[in-house]
Amino acid sequence: MSTNSANLLNKLFEEVSGDLIAHYDNSVLMPSNELISNSYNLVGAVGNKMRIPVTNAWTTGASGIAESTDIAGETGAVQDFNPTAIDLAVGKRGSFSYVTAEALEDGGLSTVSNAVSLRLARSIAQGTDISAFKYMLNNTDTAPATAAVLDGSTGSNVELVNTITGSQDICPVFSPEAMAYAVKRQPELKMWEDVKLDQTSMVATMRNGFAQIDKSFIKAVAGNTAVGASAQKATLADFGIAVAKLRSANAPTDAAGMYFSAISPAVELQLVDQITHIANGGTVGSLSATGDRVLMDALIGQAVGVRFLRSNNIVKNVAAS
């Protein structure tokens, strides 16, 4: 390998590595603190799992207590602090690309480094978001086999508030307190040269994970997975039901009293005439000052107490039963 080739590869590594985290941050949605307020940085910590304490709910206290009465014996008075805990494990995500010597010579350092860092970063960003939406529905990294299992009672399955037939996209409606996120390794790059093939291989990896905090803080709405479908569609009323159920469960909202929902392009089209679009004069309330570019770009409107986010990474094309 010539000195010039070595210098060029060193510069390629520096540029791709330097841009990787920035491109990842500009592509990933769900680790946003606006969407998941329980966020933990485990970089440098020991172990690959954390335990998060969850306080138990309190109820209405006793009323009409007579003088010199044992308060602990009154109905509703006992509000023992008895927290439980959930476990959050981090997993490894990665993406790979090779760069031939000819591609680097012909494309130029700047063009090639930008293209490679974008594809590596966006690949692991998409993997992160897909995992988040799966965990949101059943607290696993596996999509539900059918929409029918989302009964809100079995295991960690959340409640699907409407019933349609055929293949469907599952749109979560959730509180920012519903989930937890942890990162163990920020996106990082490794690179090596394969002299036999005259190419360079690059691997980007990171370690992160999600967990449900409270499944009652998440509801789901189903919509026809087909773009432009004329039947079996999600409606704004369905999202209104989800919001009412969240409020009944005392699910916390954001600072403006809103919940969030991620919807697919097919469901966005089903709601297109009902959502108050930002482009048509709608506002985004307290989000206007967050500086979270990915979140702002995903936000398409708000209605019935929900901020709607566009995402291709929700669980889609699920059978009814």
Side-chain angles (χ1 to χ4, degrees), residues 5 8 17 22 28 51 54 71 79 92 97 110 113 116 124 150 161 190 194-195 217 222 232 250 253 257 286:
S5 296
L8 190 61
S17 181
V28 72
R51 174 155 288 191
V54 179
I71 296 176
Q79 303 288 335
K92 187 176 182 179
S97 178
S110 178
S113 65
V116 172
I124 55 178
L150 297 175
V161 303
K190 296 180 178 68
D194 189 335
V195 294
F217 291 176
Q232 304 300 318
N250 290 318
T253 64
S286 62

Side-chain angles (χ1 to χ4, degrees), residues 132-269:
F133 289 122
K134 290 176 181 177
Y135 268 90
M136 196 169 282
L137 296 184
N138 59 17
N139 205 33
T140 74
D141 210 3
T142 303
T146 67
V149 304
L150 297 175
D151 55 9
S153 58
T154 306
S156 297
N157 291 311
V158 302
E159 180 186 5
L160 184 65
V161 303
N162 65 328
T163 302
I164 65 174
T165 60
S167 297
Q168 47 204 268
D169 296 347
I170 309 299
C171 308
V173 185
F174 58 97
S175 160
E177 294 281 354
M179 299 287 292
Y181 169 76
V183 58
K184 174 73 174 180
R185 178 194 300 167
Q186 296 289 357
E188 67 177 30
L189 182 72
K190 296 180 178 68
M191 185 180 90
W192 65 96
E193 185 182 16
D194 189 335
V195 294
K196 290 178 63 177
L197 298 177
D198 196 21
Q199 66 185 26
T200 301
S201 298
M202 293 186 169
V203 168
T205 61
M206 76 172 303
R207 297 175 70 196
N208 59 11
F210 299 89
Q212 283 181 359
I213 294 289
D214 191 331
K215 71 176 182 179
S216 70
F217 291 176
I218 308 167
K219 302 299 175 183
V221 173
N224 198 318
T225 198
V227 175
S230 59
Q232 304 300 318
K233 300 189 292 185
T235 68
L236 207 56
D238 295 328
F239 287 93
I241 292 171
V243 168
K245 287 178 175 288
L246 290 176
R247 295 199 192 282
S248 294
N250 290 318
T253 64
D254 69 3
M258 305 287 283
Y259 297 111
F260 294 93
S261 180
I263 61 177
S264 65
V267 174
E268 179 184 357
L269 183 60

Side-chain angles (χ1 to χ4, degrees), residues 1 5 8-13 15-17 95-120 189-204:
M1 182 173 64
S5 296
L8 190 61
L9 292 180
N10 287 337
K11 291 179 180 178
L12 177 65
F13 177 82
E15 293 198 8
V16 174
S17 181
S95 55
F96 169 87
S97 178
Y98 65 80
V99 178
T100 65
E102 291 77 13
L104 187 56
E105 291 168 355
D106 298 342
L109 176 63
S110 178
T111 299
V112 172
S113 65
N114 187 63
V116 172
S117 60
L118 272 173
R119 70 191 303 107
L120 293 177
L189 182 72
K190 296 180 178 68
M191 185 180 90
W192 65 96
E193 185 182 16
D194 189 335
V195 294
K196 290 178 63 177
L197 298 177
D198 196 21
Q199 66 185 26
T200 301
S201 298
M202 293 186 169
V203 168

